[in-house]
Amino acid sequence: MSEWSLECPACGATRQGASAASVCHACGQPWLVRYATLPVSRDVLLPRWDMWRYSTLLPLRDGERPVSLGEGATPLLDAPALARAVGVRALYVKDEGLNPTGSFKARGMSAAVTRARALGVPGLVVPTAGNAGAALSAYGAAAGMPVRVYAPETTPATILGTVRAFGAELVTVAGHIGDAGRAARAFASECGYFDVSTLREPYRIEGKKTMGLELAEQFGWRLPDVVVYPTGGGTGLIGMWKAFQELRGMGWLDASAAFPRMVTAQAAGCAPIVRAFGARADHATPWERPETHASGLRVPSALGDRLILRALYESNGDAAAASEDAIRRATARLAHTTGIDAAPEGGCALAVLESLVAAGRVSRDAEVVIFNTGSGVGYRS
Ligand SMILES: *Cc1c(COP(=O)(O)O)cnc(C)c1O
């Protein structure tokens, strides 16, 4: 409900918001949405219990109804037994597995499909490691728009079944999500479909930003000490970091509220951001043979690498990887200790937190949030 334009955080180029802009025309980096004005009063929050509660901070035109399936407003669960086991003062799990189609991809797709519908594009296309395709299929159905999904043939069968269940066209490809991405882009340029690939359009970030807004509201307008985020393309991490800046800019946070340290968790079999962070680099190089059963983390080359790394450095954050075994054990521990239906990506966040606490890189006095980004149900065969 606020006017916005697109701005390139790398080179400063700008563009008005109505176009189907993919990436910056000048330098090829992702666009971010910049709002002309943001509200100073929290009274603008709407009395609805999904992410569109924050409509005033999202790319939505006056009087426009979002394409929504009740995404967001997920619980922030206090896990004291897990906190004791890990050895930190407090540990909360933000359970994103409760979103429509079982992952936080719903948030990004709700925002992106809302804009794509307004642009009148003929259809929607996405490459996916699984959950993005399931979410887009549902939101395409909600908007009455055709959807085509490109997925590696190794994608969990349950997730592929979800894509088909919503009537989307599914194309499986040999290789990883990078290969699926090339096929999706070729199809998009041929048929004029809106390419909803991670960071090839600026709106999924705005949807995922609402995780940061919810954290602040759920903590009573302050923020935790540490946020551990299982990072694939990094949309959520970039989005939350953007949310925290906007919250501070609007004066919505308590005066004493500090920003959290942002921590990237990746699988040892695909850890390009962890490697770049270790080298204090400003960008990541592609991971050669990406392998992990945490399929949302099997992203060898993230378009938003510079933005992810910037958020880690600016927040005095950290990055670490966990082995497949450690991920499996932590996924089970998360489920057994809390009753949360943990996905392997959530398990990866827990495994990385445990290793950072043991190494003294996260303080035992810290109040920590880990993200369970999906529901475990999609990974059981
Ligand atoms: C996509 C996905 C991720 C990675 O999310 P990004 O914000 O792109 O880094 C993590 N977990 C699950 C379950 C996912 O589906």
Side-chain angles (χ1 to χ4, degrees), residues 102-105 128-132 159 198 204 208 211 229-238 294-299 308 343-346 371-375 379:
S103 87
F104 65 174
K105 293 292 193 298
T128 184
N131 286 322
I159 300 179
T198 299
R204 279 173 66 186
K208 281 223 185 154
M211 294 190 292
Y229 184 81
T231 306
T235 335
L237 191 128
I238 298 166
S295 49
L297 307 184
R298 198 167 163 234
V299 182
I308 299 168
E345 293 84 353
F371 275 80
N372 181 47
T373 46
S375 158
Y379 299 79

PDB file of all heavy atoms in Angstrom, residues 102-105 128-132 159 198 204 208 211 229-238 294-299 308 343-346 371-375 379, ligand 1:
ATOM      1  N   GLY A 102       3.712 -26.825   3.364  1.00  0.00           N
ATOM      2  CA  GLY A 102       4.722 -27.354   4.270  1.00  0.00           C
ATOM      3  C   GLY A 102       6.090 -26.721   4.239  1.00  0.00           C
ATOM      4  O   GLY A 102       7.060 -27.326   4.701  1.00  0.00           O
ATOM      5  N   SER A 103       6.216 -25.500   3.744  1.00  0.00           N
ATOM      6  CA  SER A 103       7.506 -24.821   3.874  1.00  0.00           C
ATOM      7  C   SER A 103       7.325 -23.307   3.772  1.00  0.00           C
ATOM      8  O   SER A 103       6.288 -22.823   3.318  1.00  0.00           O
ATOM      9  CB  SER A 103       8.503 -25.267   2.804  1.00  0.00           C
ATOM     10  OG  SER A 103       8.348 -24.499   1.624  1.00  0.00           O
ATOM     11  N   PHE A 104       8.379 -22.602   4.168  1.00  0.00           N
ATOM     12  CA  PHE A 104       8.335 -21.134   4.121  1.00  0.00           C
ATOM     13  C   PHE A 104       8.397 -20.582   2.710  1.00  0.00           C
ATOM     14  O   PHE A 104       8.293 -19.376   2.516  1.00  0.00           O
ATOM     15  CB  PHE A 104       9.413 -20.528   5.001  1.00  0.00           C
ATOM     16  CG  PHE A 104      10.833 -20.797   4.574  1.00  0.00           C
ATOM     17  CD1 PHE A 104      11.875 -20.163   5.252  1.00  0.00           C
ATOM     18  CD2 PHE A 104      11.154 -21.636   3.547  1.00  0.00           C
ATOM     19  CE1 PHE A 104      13.191 -20.377   4.887  1.00  0.00           C
ATOM     20  CE2 PHE A 104      12.468 -21.862   3.166  1.00  0.00           C
ATOM     21  CZ  PHE A 104      13.481 -21.224   3.838  1.00  0.00           C
ATOM     22  N   LYS A 105       8.538 -21.459   1.704  1.00  0.00           N
ATOM     23  CA  LYS A 105       8.469 -20.977   0.327  1.00  0.00           C
ATOM     24  C   LYS A 105       7.113 -20.312   0.062  1.00  0.00           C
ATOM     25  O   LYS A 105       6.998 -19.485  -0.832  1.00  0.00           O
ATOM     26  CB  LYS A 105       8.681 -22.127  -0.652  1.00  0.00           C
ATOM     27  CG  LYS A 105      10.074 -22.738  -0.649  1.00  0.00           C
ATOM     28  CD  LYS A 105      11.107 -21.777  -1.176  1.00  0.00           C
ATOM     29  CE  LYS A 105      12.449 -22.435  -1.477  1.00  0.00           C
ATOM     30  NZ  LYS A 105      13.116 -23.024  -0.299  1.00  0.00           N
ATOM     31  N   THR A 128      13.323 -25.775  -9.067  1.00  0.00           N
ATOM     32  CA  THR A 128      13.135 -26.017  -7.644  1.00  0.00           C
ATOM     33  C   THR A 128      13.913 -27.229  -7.171  1.00  0.00           C
ATOM     34  O   THR A 128      14.124 -28.177  -7.933  1.00  0.00           O
ATOM     35  CB  THR A 128      11.639 -26.241  -7.343  1.00  0.00           C
ATOM     36  OG1 THR A 128      11.457 -26.395  -5.939  1.00  0.00           O
ATOM     37  CG2 THR A 128      11.104 -27.489  -8.037  1.00  0.00           C
ATOM     38  N   ALA A 129      14.330 -27.185  -5.908  1.00  0.00           N
ATOM     39  CA  ALA A 129      14.837 -28.377  -5.244  1.00  0.00           C
ATOM     40  C   ALA A 129      13.662 -29.125  -4.623  1.00  0.00           C
ATOM     41  O   ALA A 129      13.841 -30.149  -3.995  1.00  0.00           O
ATOM     42  CB  ALA A 129      15.859 -27.990  -4.187  1.00  0.00           C
ATOM     43  N   GLY A 130      12.461 -28.581  -4.772  1.00  0.00           N
ATOM     44  CA  GLY A 130      11.259 -29.243  -4.286  1.00  0.00           C
ATOM     45  C   GLY A 130      10.209 -28.284  -3.754  1.00  0.00           C
ATOM     46  O   GLY A 130       9.145 -28.119  -4.345  1.00  0.00           O
ATOM     47  N   ASN A 131      10.522 -27.646  -2.627  1.00  0.00           N
ATOM     48  CA  ASN A 131       9.486 -26.875  -1.940  1.00  0.00           C
ATOM     49  C   ASN A 131       9.021 -25.633  -2.702  1.00  0.00           C
ATOM     50  O   ASN A 131       7.854 -25.265  -2.622  1.00  0.00           O
ATOM     51  CB  ASN A 131       9.969 -26.477  -0.554  1.00  0.00           C
ATOM     52  CG  ASN A 131       9.970 -27.665   0.394  1.00  0.00           C
ATOM     53  OD1 ASN A 131       9.063 -28.496   0.331  1.00  0.00           O
ATOM     54  ND2 ASN A 131      10.973 -27.756   1.260  1.00  0.00           N
ATOM     55  N   ALA A 132       9.921 -24.987  -3.436  1.00  0.00           N
ATOM     56  CA  ALA A 132       9.506 -23.810  -4.201  1.00  0.00           C
ATOM     57  C   ALA A 132       8.490 -24.222  -5.267  1.00  0.00           C
ATOM     58  O   ALA A 132       7.519 -23.497  -5.521  1.00  0.00           O
ATOM     59  CB  ALA A 132      10.707 -23.124  -4.834  1.00  0.00           C
ATOM     60  N   ILE A 159       7.296 -34.433  -2.562  1.00  0.00           N
ATOM     61  CA  ILE A 159       7.210 -33.034  -2.978  1.00  0.00           C
ATOM     62  C   ILE A 159       6.808 -32.952  -4.450  1.00  0.00           C
ATOM     63  O   ILE A 159       5.956 -32.134  -4.832  1.00  0.00           O
ATOM     64  CB  ILE A 159       8.548 -32.313  -2.692  1.00  0.00           C
ATOM     65  CG1 ILE A 159       8.865 -32.367  -1.187  1.00  0.00           C
ATOM     66  CG2 ILE A 159       8.491 -30.866  -3.169  1.00  0.00           C
ATOM     67  CD1 ILE A 159      10.168 -31.701  -0.773  1.00  0.00           C
ATOM     68  N   THR A 198      14.687 -17.908  -7.514  1.00  0.00           N
ATOM     69  CA  THR A 198      15.245 -17.161  -6.390  1.00  0.00           C
ATOM     70  C   THR A 198      16.050 -15.950  -6.854  1.00  0.00           C
ATOM     71  O   THR A 198      17.019 -16.085  -7.598  1.00  0.00           O
ATOM     72  CB  THR A 198      16.153 -18.093  -5.562  1.00  0.00           C
ATOM     73  OG1 THR A 198      15.362 -19.163  -5.081  1.00  0.00           O
ATOM     74  CG2 THR A 198      16.765 -17.366  -4.393  1.00  0.00           C
ATOM     75  N   ARG A 204       9.873 -12.268  -3.941  1.00  0.00           N
ATOM     76  CA  ARG A 204       9.916 -13.371  -2.972  1.00  0.00           C
ATOM     77  C   ARG A 204      10.624 -12.930  -1.698  1.00  0.00           C
ATOM     78  O   ARG A 204      10.220 -13.311  -0.596  1.00  0.00           O
ATOM     79  CB  ARG A 204      10.608 -14.597  -3.586  1.00  0.00           C
ATOM     80  CG  ARG A 204       9.675 -15.409  -4.469  1.00  0.00           C
ATOM     81  CD  ARG A 204      10.393 -16.516  -5.200  1.00  0.00           C
ATOM     82  NE  ARG A 204      10.924 -17.543  -4.309  1.00  0.00           N
ATOM     83  CZ  ARG A 204      11.691 -18.551  -4.719  1.00  0.00           C
ATOM     84  NH1 ARG A 204      12.018 -18.652  -6.007  1.00  0.00           N
ATOM     85  NH2 ARG A 204      12.133 -19.447  -3.879  1.00  0.00           N
ATOM     86  N   LYS A 208       9.446 -13.263   2.241  1.00  0.00           N
ATOM     87  CA  LYS A 208      10.248 -13.919   3.284  1.00  0.00           C
ATOM     88  C   LYS A 208      10.676 -12.937   4.370  1.00  0.00           C
ATOM     89  O   LYS A 208      10.953 -13.325   5.504  1.00  0.00           O
ATOM     90  CB  LYS A 208      11.455 -14.590   2.653  1.00  0.00           C
ATOM     91  CG  LYS A 208      11.098 -15.924   1.996  1.00  0.00           C
ATOM     92  CD  LYS A 208      12.149 -16.953   2.333  1.00  0.00           C
ATOM     93  CE  LYS A 208      11.914 -18.259   1.599  1.00  0.00           C
ATOM     94  NZ  LYS A 208      13.182 -18.992   1.420  1.00  0.00           N
ATOM     95  N   MET A 211       9.190 -13.033   7.906  1.00  0.00           N
ATOM     96  CA  MET A 211       9.705 -13.844   9.025  1.00  0.00           C
ATOM     97  C   MET A 211      10.406 -12.945  10.036  1.00  0.00           C
ATOM     98  O   MET A 211      10.303 -13.147  11.246  1.00  0.00           O
ATOM     99  CB  MET A 211      10.686 -14.913   8.515  1.00  0.00           C
ATOM    100  CG  MET A 211      10.024 -15.956   7.645  1.00  0.00           C
ATOM    101  SD  MET A 211      11.116 -17.348   7.297  1.00  0.00           S
ATOM    102  CE  MET A 211      12.353 -16.591   6.250  1.00  0.00           C
ATOM    103  N   TYR A 229      20.057 -19.804  10.409  1.00  0.00           N
ATOM    104  CA  TYR A 229      19.196 -19.960   9.238  1.00  0.00           C
ATOM    105  C   TYR A 229      19.803 -20.949   8.249  1.00  0.00           C
ATOM    106  O   TYR A 229      20.912 -20.726   7.754  1.00  0.00           O
ATOM    107  CB  TYR A 229      19.032 -18.581   8.578  1.00  0.00           C
ATOM    108  CG  TYR A 229      18.078 -18.595   7.420  1.00  0.00           C
ATOM    109  CD1 TYR A 229      16.713 -18.537   7.641  1.00  0.00           C
ATOM    110  CD2 TYR A 229      18.536 -18.689   6.118  1.00  0.00           C
ATOM    111  CE1 TYR A 229      15.823 -18.578   6.577  1.00  0.00           C
ATOM    112  CE2 TYR A 229      17.660 -18.727   5.051  1.00  0.00           C
ATOM    113  CZ  TYR A 229      16.308 -18.668   5.291  1.00  0.00           C
ATOM    114  OH  TYR A 229      15.431 -18.708   4.245  1.00  0.00           O
ATOM    115  N   PRO A 230      19.094 -22.053   7.955  1.00  0.00           N
ATOM    116  CA  PRO A 230      19.594 -22.999   6.953  1.00  0.00           C
ATOM    117  C   PRO A 230      19.534 -22.354   5.573  1.00  0.00           C
ATOM    118  O   PRO A 230      18.453 -22.090   5.057  1.00  0.00           O
ATOM    119  CB  PRO A 230      18.637 -24.189   7.066  1.00  0.00           C
ATOM    120  CG  PRO A 230      17.422 -23.674   7.743  1.00  0.00           C
ATOM    121  CD  PRO A 230      17.787 -22.453   8.515  1.00  0.00           C
ATOM    122  N   THR A 231      20.690 -22.092   5.000  1.00  0.00           N
ATOM    123  CA  THR A 231      20.796 -21.206   3.843  1.00  0.00           C
ATOM    124  C   THR A 231      21.014 -21.973   2.549  1.00  0.00           C
ATOM    125  O   THR A 231      21.973 -22.730   2.424  1.00  0.00           O
ATOM    126  CB  THR A 231      21.970 -20.222   4.056  1.00  0.00           C
ATOM    127  OG1 THR A 231      21.794 -19.557   5.309  1.00  0.00           O
ATOM    128  CG2 THR A 231      22.033 -19.205   2.936  1.00  0.00           C
ATOM    129  N   GLY A 232      20.095 -21.788   1.615  1.00  0.00           N
ATOM    130  CA  GLY A 232      20.248 -22.296   0.259  1.00  0.00           C
ATOM    131  C   GLY A 232      20.531 -21.107  -0.644  1.00  0.00           C
ATOM    132  O   GLY A 232      21.657 -20.636  -0.764  1.00  0.00           O
ATOM    133  N   GLY A 233      19.447 -20.573  -1.248  1.00  0.00           N
ATOM    134  CA  GLY A 233      19.574 -19.349  -2.036  1.00  0.00           C
ATOM    135  C   GLY A 233      19.701 -18.109  -1.176  1.00  0.00           C
ATOM    136  O   GLY A 233      20.107 -17.052  -1.651  1.00  0.00           O
ATOM    137  N   GLY A 234      19.321 -18.218   0.089  1.00  0.00           N
ATOM    138  CA  GLY A 234      19.535 -17.125   1.042  1.00  0.00           C
ATOM    139  C   GLY A 234      18.427 -16.088   1.099  1.00  0.00           C
ATOM    140  O   GLY A 234      18.554 -15.077   1.800  1.00  0.00           O
ATOM    141  N   THR A 235      17.323 -16.331   0.402  1.00  0.00           N
ATOM    142  CA  THR A 235      16.236 -15.341   0.373  1.00  0.00           C
ATOM    143  C   THR A 235      15.780 -14.937   1.764  1.00  0.00           C
ATOM    144  O   THR A 235      15.552 -13.759   2.024  1.00  0.00           O
ATOM    145  CB  THR A 235      14.987 -15.911  -0.336  1.00  0.00           C
ATOM    146  OG1 THR A 235      15.395 -16.923  -1.221  1.00  0.00           O
ATOM    147  CG2 THR A 235      14.231 -14.836  -1.049  1.00  0.00           C
ATOM    148  N   GLY A 236      15.627 -15.917   2.624  1.00  0.00           N
ATOM    149  CA  GLY A 236      15.105 -15.627   3.959  1.00  0.00           C
ATOM    150  C   GLY A 236      16.093 -14.821   4.781  1.00  0.00           C
ATOM    151  O   GLY A 236      15.705 -13.886   5.507  1.00  0.00           O
ATOM    152  N   LEU A 237      17.357 -15.150   4.673  1.00  0.00           N
ATOM    153  CA  LEU A 237      18.364 -14.426   5.454  1.00  0.00           C
ATOM    154  C   LEU A 237      18.464 -12.969   4.985  1.00  0.00           C
ATOM    155  O   LEU A 237      18.455 -12.038   5.783  1.00  0.00           O
ATOM    156  CB  LEU A 237      19.713 -15.137   5.316  1.00  0.00           C
ATOM    157  CG  LEU A 237      20.786 -14.645   6.271  1.00  0.00           C
ATOM    158  CD1 LEU A 237      21.412 -15.818   7.016  1.00  0.00           C
ATOM    159  CD2 LEU A 237      21.862 -13.872   5.551  1.00  0.00           C
ATOM    160  N   ILE A 238      18.491 -12.799   3.664  1.00  0.00           N
ATOM    161  CA  ILE A 238      18.549 -11.445   3.102  1.00  0.00           C
ATOM    162  C   ILE A 238      17.269 -10.687   3.470  1.00  0.00           C
ATOM    163  O   ILE A 238      17.301  -9.523   3.857  1.00  0.00           O
ATOM    164  CB  ILE A 238      18.708 -11.503   1.564  1.00  0.00           C
ATOM    165  CG1 ILE A 238      20.023 -12.191   1.182  1.00  0.00           C
ATOM    166  CG2 ILE A 238      18.628 -10.117   0.953  1.00  0.00           C
ATOM    167  CD1 ILE A 238      20.101 -12.595  -0.292  1.00  0.00           C
ATOM    168  N   ALA A 294      19.343 -32.785   2.566  1.00  0.00           N
ATOM    169  CA  ALA A 294      18.578 -31.579   2.904  1.00  0.00           C
ATOM    170  C   ALA A 294      18.397 -30.807   1.603  1.00  0.00           C
ATOM    171  O   ALA A 294      19.151 -29.878   1.295  1.00  0.00           O
ATOM    172  CB  ALA A 294      19.314 -30.759   3.951  1.00  0.00           C
ATOM    173  N   SER A 295      17.400 -31.191   0.809  1.00  0.00           N
ATOM    174  CA  SER A 295      17.353 -30.763  -0.595  1.00  0.00           C
ATOM    175  C   SER A 295      17.232 -29.243  -0.751  1.00  0.00           C
ATOM    176  O   SER A 295      17.714 -28.684  -1.726  1.00  0.00           O
ATOM    177  CB  SER A 295      16.211 -31.478  -1.323  1.00  0.00           C
ATOM    178  OG  SER A 295      15.022 -31.382  -0.581  1.00  0.00           O
ATOM    179  N   GLY A 296      16.635 -28.556   0.220  1.00  0.00           N
ATOM    180  CA  GLY A 296      16.527 -27.099   0.138  1.00  0.00           C
ATOM    181  C   GLY A 296      17.886 -26.410   0.225  1.00  0.00           C
ATOM    182  O   GLY A 296      18.016 -25.227  -0.108  1.00  0.00           O
ATOM    183  N   LEU A 297      18.894 -27.138   0.683  1.00  0.00           N
ATOM    184  CA  LEU A 297      20.236 -26.556   0.842  1.00  0.00           C
ATOM    185  C   LEU A 297      21.161 -26.957  -0.306  1.00  0.00           C
ATOM    186  O   LEU A 297      22.335 -26.612  -0.313  1.00  0.00           O
ATOM    187  CB  LEU A 297      20.846 -27.001   2.180  1.00  0.00           C
ATOM    188  CG  LEU A 297      19.970 -26.735   3.406  1.00  0.00           C
ATOM    189  CD1 LEU A 297      20.710 -27.114   4.675  1.00  0.00           C
ATOM    190  CD2 LEU A 297      19.538 -25.270   3.456  1.00  0.00           C
ATOM    191  N   ARG A 298      20.620 -27.676  -1.281  1.00  0.00           N
ATOM    192  CA  ARG A 298      21.459 -28.133  -2.392  1.00  0.00           C
ATOM    193  C   ARG A 298      21.479 -27.050  -3.472  1.00  0.00           C
ATOM    194  O   ARG A 298      20.973 -27.207  -4.578  1.00  0.00           O
ATOM    195  CB  ARG A 298      20.896 -29.457  -2.926  1.00  0.00           C
ATOM    196  CG  ARG A 298      21.882 -30.227  -3.755  1.00  0.00           C
ATOM    197  CD  ARG A 298      21.411 -31.646  -3.988  1.00  0.00           C
ATOM    198  NE  ARG A 298      22.160 -32.237  -5.103  1.00  0.00           N
ATOM    199  CZ  ARG A 298      21.612 -32.792  -6.160  1.00  0.00           C
ATOM    200  NH1 ARG A 298      20.302 -32.879  -6.273  1.00  0.00           N
ATOM    201  NH2 ARG A 298      22.373 -33.275  -7.119  1.00  0.00           N
ATOM    202  N   VAL A 299      22.064 -25.920  -3.132  1.00  0.00           N
ATOM    203  CA  VAL A 299      22.148 -24.767  -4.028  1.00  0.00           C
ATOM    204  C   VAL A 299      23.628 -24.433  -4.212  1.00  0.00           C
ATOM    205  O   VAL A 299      24.232 -23.788  -3.354  1.00  0.00           O
ATOM    206  CB  VAL A 299      21.387 -23.548  -3.445  1.00  0.00           C
ATOM    207  CG1 VAL A 299      21.432 -22.370  -4.405  1.00  0.00           C
ATOM    208  CG2 VAL A 299      19.935 -23.920  -3.129  1.00  0.00           C
ATOM    209  N   ILE A 308      23.979 -12.157   0.992  1.00  0.00           N
ATOM    210  CA  ILE A 308      24.040 -13.061   2.153  1.00  0.00           C
ATOM    211  C   ILE A 308      25.294 -12.750   2.964  1.00  0.00           C
ATOM    212  O   ILE A 308      25.237 -12.545   4.185  1.00  0.00           O
ATOM    213  CB  ILE A 308      24.098 -14.542   1.701  1.00  0.00           C
ATOM    214  CG1 ILE A 308      22.859 -14.937   0.899  1.00  0.00           C
ATOM    215  CG2 ILE A 308      24.266 -15.462   2.910  1.00  0.00           C
ATOM    216  CD1 ILE A 308      23.000 -16.285   0.176  1.00  0.00           C
ATOM    217  N   ALA A 343      12.245 -30.816   9.461  1.00  0.00           N
ATOM    218  CA  ALA A 343      12.824 -31.151   8.159  1.00  0.00           C
ATOM    219  C   ALA A 343      14.340 -31.221   8.319  1.00  0.00           C
ATOM    220  O   ALA A 343      14.895 -30.653   9.264  1.00  0.00           O
ATOM    221  CB  ALA A 343      12.450 -30.074   7.140  1.00  0.00           C
ATOM    222  N   PRO A 344      15.035 -31.893   7.395  1.00  0.00           N
ATOM    223  CA  PRO A 344      16.501 -31.956   7.497  1.00  0.00           C
ATOM    224  C   PRO A 344      17.153 -30.571   7.530  1.00  0.00           C
ATOM    225  O   PRO A 344      18.185 -30.391   8.190  1.00  0.00           O
ATOM    226  CB  PRO A 344      16.923 -32.707   6.231  1.00  0.00           C
ATOM    227  CG  PRO A 344      15.716 -33.398   5.730  1.00  0.00           C
ATOM    228  CD  PRO A 344      14.523 -32.678   6.260  1.00  0.00           C
ATOM    229  N   GLU A 345      16.545 -29.600   6.868  1.00  0.00           N
ATOM    230  CA  GLU A 345      17.119 -28.246   6.871  1.00  0.00           C
ATOM    231  C   GLU A 345      17.071 -27.654   8.286  1.00  0.00           C
ATOM    232  O   GLU A 345      18.003 -26.983   8.721  1.00  0.00           O
ATOM    233  CB  GLU A 345      16.364 -27.341   5.890  1.00  0.00           C
ATOM    234  CG  GLU A 345      16.548 -27.733   4.420  1.00  0.00           C
ATOM    235  CD  GLU A 345      15.598 -28.841   3.968  1.00  0.00           C
ATOM    236  OE1 GLU A 345      14.880 -29.414   4.829  1.00  0.00           O
ATOM    237  OE2 GLU A 345      15.577 -29.136   2.768  1.00  0.00           O
ATOM    238  N   GLY A 346      15.960 -27.909   9.000  1.00  0.00           N
ATOM    239  CA  GLY A 346      15.867 -27.487  10.403  1.00  0.00           C
ATOM    240  C   GLY A 346      16.882 -28.226  11.251  1.00  0.00           C
ATOM    241  O   GLY A 346      17.517 -27.646  12.142  1.00  0.00           O
ATOM    242  N   PHE A 371      15.580 -21.786  12.659  1.00  0.00           N
ATOM    243  CA  PHE A 371      14.444 -21.924  11.747  1.00  0.00           C
ATOM    244  C   PHE A 371      14.292 -23.372  11.318  1.00  0.00           C
ATOM    245  O   PHE A 371      15.225 -23.967  10.806  1.00  0.00           O
ATOM    246  CB  PHE A 371      14.630 -21.025  10.518  1.00  0.00           C
ATOM    247  CG  PHE A 371      14.141 -19.630  10.764  1.00  0.00           C
ATOM    248  CD1 PHE A 371      14.930 -18.724  11.453  1.00  0.00           C
ATOM    249  CD2 PHE A 371      12.877 -19.243  10.345  1.00  0.00           C
ATOM    250  CE1 PHE A 371      14.464 -17.442  11.719  1.00  0.00           C
ATOM    251  CE2 PHE A 371      12.407 -17.966  10.600  1.00  0.00           C
ATOM    252  CZ  PHE A 371      13.193 -17.062  11.286  1.00  0.00           C
ATOM    253  N   ASN A 372      13.088 -23.932  11.567  1.00  0.00           N
ATOM    254  CA  ASN A 372      12.711 -25.183  10.921  1.00  0.00           C
ATOM    255  C   ASN A 372      11.934 -24.770   9.671  1.00  0.00           C
ATOM    256  O   ASN A 372      10.765 -24.402   9.745  1.00  0.00           O
ATOM    257  CB  ASN A 372      11.845 -26.045  11.838  1.00  0.00           C
ATOM    258  CG  ASN A 372      11.482 -27.348  11.149  1.00  0.00           C
ATOM    259  OD1 ASN A 372      12.358 -27.994  10.579  1.00  0.00           O
ATOM    260  ND2 ASN A 372      10.218 -27.707  11.170  1.00  0.00           N
ATOM    261  N   THR A 373      12.626 -24.799   8.538  1.00  0.00           N
ATOM    262  CA  THR A 373      12.101 -24.136   7.341  1.00  0.00           C
ATOM    263  C   THR A 373      11.035 -24.934   6.601  1.00  0.00           C
ATOM    264  O   THR A 373      10.368 -24.408   5.714  1.00  0.00           O
ATOM    265  CB  THR A 373      13.271 -23.824   6.391  1.00  0.00           C
ATOM    266  OG1 THR A 373      14.089 -25.002   6.297  1.00  0.00           O
ATOM    267  CG2 THR A 373      14.110 -22.694   6.934  1.00  0.00           C
ATOM    268  N   GLY A 374      10.929 -26.223   6.955  1.00  0.00           N
ATOM    269  CA  GLY A 374       9.921 -27.033   6.277  1.00  0.00           C
ATOM    270  C   GLY A 374       9.385 -28.108   7.197  1.00  0.00           C
ATOM    271  O   GLY A 374       9.884 -28.315   8.307  1.00  0.00           O
ATOM    272  N   SER A 375       8.378 -28.826   6.695  1.00  0.00           N
ATOM    273  CA  SER A 375       7.812 -29.929   7.445  1.00  0.00           C
ATOM    274  C   SER A 375       8.549 -31.213   7.077  1.00  0.00           C
ATOM    275  O   SER A 375       8.887 -31.443   5.912  1.00  0.00           O
ATOM    276  CB  SER A 375       6.328 -30.055   7.090  1.00  0.00           C
ATOM    277  OG  SER A 375       5.886 -31.363   7.391  1.00  0.00           O
ATOM    278  N   TYR A 379       9.730 -35.402   3.400  1.00  0.00           N
ATOM    279  CA  TYR A 379      10.995 -36.124   3.218  1.00  0.00           C
ATOM    280  C   TYR A 379      10.878 -37.590   3.577  1.00  0.00           C
ATOM    281  O   TYR A 379      11.823 -38.341   3.451  1.00  0.00           O
ATOM    282  CB  TYR A 379      12.100 -35.475   4.070  1.00  0.00           C
ATOM    283  CG  TYR A 379      12.368 -34.042   3.683  1.00  0.00           C
ATOM    284  CD1 TYR A 379      11.524 -33.027   4.108  1.00  0.00           C
ATOM    285  CD2 TYR A 379      13.448 -33.714   2.870  1.00  0.00           C
ATOM    286  CE1 TYR A 379      11.752 -31.710   3.742  1.00  0.00           C
ATOM    287  CE2 TYR A 379      13.696 -32.418   2.502  1.00  0.00           C
ATOM    288  CZ  TYR A 379      12.833 -31.406   2.936  1.00  0.00           C
ATOM    289  OH  TYR A 379      13.060 -30.111   2.579  1.00  0.00           O
TER     290      TYR A 379
HETATM  291  C1  LIG B   1      14.313 -23.380  -0.002  1.00  0.00           C
HETATM  292  C2  LIG B   1      14.554 -23.977   1.315  1.00  0.00           C
HETATM  293  C3  LIG B   1      15.635 -23.557   2.109  1.00  0.00           C
HETATM  294  C4  LIG B   1      16.595 -22.481   1.662  1.00  0.00           C
HETATM  295  O1  LIG B   1      15.951 -21.240   1.672  1.00  0.00           O
HETATM  296  P1  LIG B   1      16.635 -19.904   1.160  1.00  0.00           P
HETATM  297  O2  LIG B   1      15.896 -18.799   1.787  1.00  0.00           O
HETATM  298  O3  LIG B   1      16.515 -19.890  -0.327  1.00  0.00           O
HETATM  299  O4  LIG B   1      18.063 -19.950   1.580  1.00  0.00           O
HETATM  300  C5  LIG B   1      15.764 -24.116   3.370  1.00  0.00           C
HETATM  301  N1  LIG B   1      14.903 -25.059   3.820  1.00  0.00           N
HETATM  302  C6  LIG B   1      13.869 -25.491   3.081  1.00  0.00           C
HETATM  303  C7  LIG B   1      12.966 -26.535   3.658  1.00  0.00           C
HETATM  304  C8  LIG B   1      13.654 -24.961   1.807  1.00  0.00           C
HETATM  305  O5  LIG B   1      12.616 -25.397   1.091  1.00  0.00           O
END
